[in-house]
Each structure stands twice: as structure tokens, then as C-alpha cells.
């Protein structure tokens, strides 16, 4: 039985670890040809080797590198059916204490990087008559948590980008959607918990914030990306699916 993404070509940014790595693995299991676009060569090459895909070094802040990644995908496979714009960074500050460089880095990676990636693949998608773009947003895209500035600024804007592109190119067969994960147990989260005297207690504190009393898993985000990229979601466009166990709808004082 063919996979849900059989023979589709998927370019995934930031696929060397975390949600991006899980997405690369999920896509490969569903039959996709995966292009791993990753700034860290060691992790990117490892993911690509394990999923039988193509590794392309890519810093999404650089327009030329994003274009080169798209060209590499086209050169190897002849088309690009899916972009998962996953590459991102957590940049959390109190606004007036934020270094200027932190603002530039956050917007350059979390917002402009998604646009650079989309702009690189859109010409091919439009020429071939269709495609799917899935941007990894965040619950910070619609919630504000103190001392996390300017991350929510970039993630709010990312939803605007998704909606604008989705509407602009819908009639030409390109769907653009977002996924908004909440707290997910990536290595970044584990490293953060490890900065506390009792990492397990800190992990439990994070789990207790959520109705299921656990945090999310990268694979759960990945399978939602599979769905949005597949032919099972042909009429979902300019939308955002939240994956946070229901935390974002809890009552807060």
C-alpha cells in the first residue's frame, strides 16, 4: 500500500533535530522524497542519511541559500511538492532588556526565513500546478506570555504570512497552512529543564500546565504536517492547526 505522501518531494528546513527531524522521518515513512535543509551539517547529514534523502546546507536567513536548496531539490527530483518551513529559534526577553541583535535574529529566522523558503519554492509549485506549504508557527502566534519578547511578534507575523500567501495562490493550486505547537519535548526543552536543580520537577511542572498532564511529542506535530501536506487536506488553506493538548483554551486569570 502506497504511503500518504508517495513520491512527493518535500523540502524541510531545520530538519536536523526536534520537530524538523521528526517531520523528515514521518514524511519518509509515508513515501516522500525528503530534502533536508539544515544549518548544522552534522545533524542535517545524519537525518538525510537515515531517511534516504538529500542534505542541503541552508541558513534560512540567507535568500541565496534558500534558493540553492530549492534548486538542489529540483535538480535531484525535478519538482518540489511540499515545503515545511520549520527552521526557527526561541528568543525570549523582557522588551526593554532585549539586546538589539536578539530582535534582528528572531525576525530574520522565525519570520523572514519562512518567507525566504516559501519564495524559493513557489515558482516551481506554480509552474507545476500545485503544492503545499506548511509553516511551523507556535501558540505564541496568538497568545502573549510575558518575558518572551520578541518571539510572539515574529510568530504572529508568520500567521499573517501564511494567510496572505494562502489566499494569493489558492486559485493556482498552492495551499499554505500553519501548525501551532505548544510545549513540545524537544532537546531544547530538555536542555532548558536541565538548567534547574531538579530537572524532573521542572518537566513535571510543564506537564501539569496541560489538560492531558503531559507535553507534546515531536512526532505528533510531524503527523499533522503529513496530513496538511497530503491529498487528504485539499480544501484546507490559510489555516492554522493548534497542537497543545488544549492548554490555549484553558481559563486564565
Amino acid at each position: 500500500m502506497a504511503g500518504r505522501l508517495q513520491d512527493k518531494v518535500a523540502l524541510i528546513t531545520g530538519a536536523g533535530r526536534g520537530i524538523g527531524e521528526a517531520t523528515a522521518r514521518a514524511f519518509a515513512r509515508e513515501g516522500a522524497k525528503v530534502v533536508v535543509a539544515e544549518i548544522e551539517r552534522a545533524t542535517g547529514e545524519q537525518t538525510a542519511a537515515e531517511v534516504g534523502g538529500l542534505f542541503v546546507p541552508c541558513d534560512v536567513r540567507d535568500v541565496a541559500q534558500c534558493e540553492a536548496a530549492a534548486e538542489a531539490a529540483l535538480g535531484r527530483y525535478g519538482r518540489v511538492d511540499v515545503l515545511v518551513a520549520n527552521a526557527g529559534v526561541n528568543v525570549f526577553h523582557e522588551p526593554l532588556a532585549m539586546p538589539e541583535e536578539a530582535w534582528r535574529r528572531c525576525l530574520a529566522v522565525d519570520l523572514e526565513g519562512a518567507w525566504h523558503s516559501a519564495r524559493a519554492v513557489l515558482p516551481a509549485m506554480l509552474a507545476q500546478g500545485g503544492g503545499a506549504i506548511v509553516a511551523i508557527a507556535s501558540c505564541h502566534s496568538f497568545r502573549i506570555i510575558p518575558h518572551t519578547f520578541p518571539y510572539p511578534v515574529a510568530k504572529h507575523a508568520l500567521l499573517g504570512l501564511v494567510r496572505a500567501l494562502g489566499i494569493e495562490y489558492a486559485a493556482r493550486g498552492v495551499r499554505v497552512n500553519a501548525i501551532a505547537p505548544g510545549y513540545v519535548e524537544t532537546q531544547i526543552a530538555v536542555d532548558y529543564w536541565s538548567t534547574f536543580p531538579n530537572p524532573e520537577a521542572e518537566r513535571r511542572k510543564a506537564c501539569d500546565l496541560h489538560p492531558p498532564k503531559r507535553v507534546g511529542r515531536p512526532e505528533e506535530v510531524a503527523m499533522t504536517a503529513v496530513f496538511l501536506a497530503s491529498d487528504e487536506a485539499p480544501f484546507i488553506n490559510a489555516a492554522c492547526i493548534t497542537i497543545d493538548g488544549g492548554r490555549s483554551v484553558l481559563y486564565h486569570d
Side-chain angles (χ1 to χ4, degrees), residues 72-236:
L74 290 167
R76 172 69 66 89
Y77 300 116
R79 59 188 296 115
V80 179
D81 299 290
V82 182
L83 166 68
V84 181
N86 165 76
V89 291
N90 292 342
V91 182
F92 296 159
H93 292 277
E94 185 274 324
L96 293 182
M98 178 191 66
E100 182 61 28
E101 174 54 31
W103 169 272
R104 290 194 294 269
R105 178 171 179 255
C106 184
L107 274 291
V109 177
D110 292 332
L111 176 60
E112 293 173 11
W115 166 231
H116 295 161
S117 305
R119 185 167 62 178
V121 301
L122 273 167
M125 289 183 175
L126 294 171
Q128 70 199 21
I133 296 174
V134 181
I136 305 301
S138 168
C139 287
H140 289 265
S141 297
F142 42 82
R143 299 291 298 242
I144 299 296
I145 300 172
H147 310 307
T148 65
F149 191 86
Y151 189 73
V153 179
K155 291 299 186 177
H156 272 66
L158 180 58
L159 285 192
L161 174 67
V162 164
R163 291 164 178 159
L165 293 178
I167 297 305
E168 189 75 29
Y169 297 113
R172 299 179 67 182
V174 177
R175 296 181 297 108
V176 187
N177 292 293
I179 297 171
Y183 217 136
V184 177
E185 192 166 352
T186 62
Q187 189 60 49
I188 291 174
V190 173
D191 291 344
Y192 171 70
W193 297 330
S194 296
T195 64
F196 292 84
N198 188 337
E200 182 53 34
E202 200 62 29
R203 181 184 184 279
R204 175 47 53 191
K205 187 187 301 183
C207 291
D208 287 343
L209 294 170
H210 301 78
K213 300 305 177 183
R214 69 174 179 86
V215 295
R217 296 187 293 269
E219 295 76 15
E220 293 168 325
V221 181
M223 291 312 298
T224 305
V226 167
F227 167 65
L228 287 174
S230 76
D231 295 335
E232 298 170 9
F235 208 52
I236 300 178

Side-chain angles (χ1 to χ4, degrees), residues 17-59:
R17 62 176 182 169
I19 291 171
E21 179 187 0
T23 301
R25 294 181 185 279
F27 274 49
R29 286 195 301 270
E30 295 293 338
K33 299 177 174 67
V34 176
V35 180
V36 174
E38 167 62 53
I39 192 171
E40 296 181 8
R41 178 174 289 275
T43 59
E45 288 182 339
Q46 181 176 344
T47 300
E50 292 177 358
V51 303
L54 171 67
F55 166 70
V56 182
C58 183
D59 181 341

